[in-house]
Amino acid sequence: MAHAKSRLSRAAAAFAVAAVAAAGATFPVGDAPAADAAAVTACGFTDLQLSPDLDGDGYGDLLGVRSDGALLRWSFTAESTLGDSNLLAASGFAGHKVYGPGDWNGDGYNDVVSVDPSGLLWLYVNDGKGGIGPRLEIGHGWVPFRIIPAGDMNVDGANDLLAIDQQGRLWLYMGTGRGGFKPQPKPVGQGWINIELYAAGDLAKDGVNDILAIRQDGTLWAYNGRGNGTFTVARNVGRGWGAFELESGADLNGDGRADIVGRNNATGDLFYYQGNGGGSFQAAKLIGTGFGATNNCKP
């Protein structure tokens, strides 16, 4: 089988990334929570992702690709709300899938990565102030794959990459710790058709990164990493995730636990779910409105 090729120019550190796909609300879906007084209003976002702290304030961030191709960033606050938006790029991200992989070049700052519609993988180095520098091509051939930059999955100190091919096979691309990947990917699963996979960080707090998955029936499952790139038997940790889009894999409030943000695809409402550890989450909190792909900005 032909595998996507990837190259990195500088040393990469371990990371956990938010992944987006058709997913949903946590816990049994009922009435939406009342709007928080600090909820942010936005408009027209085709892609949303979480990232580890980009601006050095100690809280995770939300990345958003606007329908006009602009890239924006919101930092979370001590009150678990979204702060003011910051424009990272006025254009150039239309059709991109954006990720926050942590410090990918070893300079001590968390970076941004994207995959464009042609399958090119791009690195945007943090400028040290929460912004991004010029892009650097670090890979190509990723069109047939669903990629999940999931952090250090084999506990060797280097970041790794999970990828699902068109046959539903899950592959681990092991990082070298010197800015590249080892030549042969390792098969670590199969049967991932119609299942959405997300990086989750260290849910079990055992020093090994884990993953979350959403099945077609809207149930949420946690897979604990074993430290060799494989996973334990899945545990059901939630249901009712059928109508939402999920962003996961970052600690947003600085308490050391991975949190989740969910977007209602119909309304564009954005909800925050604080992590309890172990793959469970607290009740939804509305933190934003107008984040749907079809929510247009009013003049």
Side-chain angles (χ1 to χ4, degrees):
M1 182 189 77
H3 295 286
K5 299 178 181 178
S6 181
R7 62 183 186 276
L8 297 175
S9 63
R10 288 181 280 182
F15 57 88
V17 169
V20 167
T26 61
F27 308 110
V29 178
D31 294 334
D36 190 283
V40 169
T41 300
C43 52
F45 285 85
T46 59
D47 187 34
L48 295 173
Q49 300 287 344
L50 300 185
S51 172
D53 182 17
L54 290 168
D55 59 357
D57 64 355
Y59 302 100
D61 297 287
L62 174 71
L63 295 169
V65 177
R66 205 165 57 193
S67 54
D68 61 0
L71 179 64
L72 286 84
R73 174 182 64 81
W74 291 261
S75 181
F76 272 69
T77 70
E79 293 76 29
S80 298
T81 59
L82 290 177
D84 294 334
S85 64
N86 294 269
L87 184 66
L88 299 185
S91 62
F93 283 86
H96 284 235
K97 294 291 293 182
V98 175
Y99 304 95
D103 180 11
W104 207 338
N105 66 344
D107 63 357
Y109 297 100
N110 294 322
D111 306 308
V112 174
V113 168
S114 77
V115 178
D116 70 18
S118 69
L120 294 177
L121 184 64
W122 299 95
L123 170 64
Y124 302 82
V125 175
N126 193 320
D127 64 5
K129 303 175 183 178
I132 57 174
R135 67 182 186 177
L136 173 67
E137 184 185 338
I138 56 173
H140 63 278
W142 291 98
V143 169
F145 294 82
R146 290 180 284 156
I147 68 170
I148 306 98
D152 181 9
M153 302 304 299
N154 57 352
V155 199
D156 64 354
N159 64 327
D160 305 311
L161 183 71
L162 290 171
I164 302 173
D165 66 22
Q166 291 176 310
Q167 289 73 44
R169 293 171 294 193
L170 181 63
W171 299 87
L172 173 67
Y173 289 79
M174 293 172 284
T176 64
R178 300 181 298 276
F181 291 95
K182 295 178 182 179
Q184 293 298 324
K186 175 183 178 181
V188 292
Q190 58 184 344
W192 290 89
I193 299 292
N194 297 321
I195 299 176
E196 300 298 338
L197 179 63
Y198 306 90
D202 182 8
L203 291 174
K205 303 299 293 180
D206 59 359
V208 181
N209 285 330
D210 309 308
I211 56 175
L212 290 169
I214 304 290
R215 297 184 180 177
Q216 276 189 301
D217 62 0
T219 53
L220 178 66
W221 298 80
Y223 298 77
N224 290 344
R226 289 194 174 107
N228 62 358
T230 64
F231 305 94
T232 61
V233 176
R235 294 180 295 110
N236 181 222
V237 295
R239 61 188 178 90
W241 291 87
F244 284 57
E245 184 175 277
L246 173 67
E247 288 80 60
S248 71
D251 173 16
L252 299 175
N253 63 352
D255 66 355
R257 301 183 180 96
D259 305 308
I260 282 179
V261 167
R263 174 171 65 170
N264 186 311
N265 289 322
T267 67
D269 290 342
L270 204 64
F271 297 94
Y272 167 68
Y273 303 85
Q274 181 175 327
N276 297 319
S280 66
F281 304 90
Q282 296 185 20
K285 175 182 179 180
L286 180 64
I287 58 171
T289 61
F291 280 86
T294 58
N295 291 123
N296 296 320
C297 296
K298 296 180 180 180

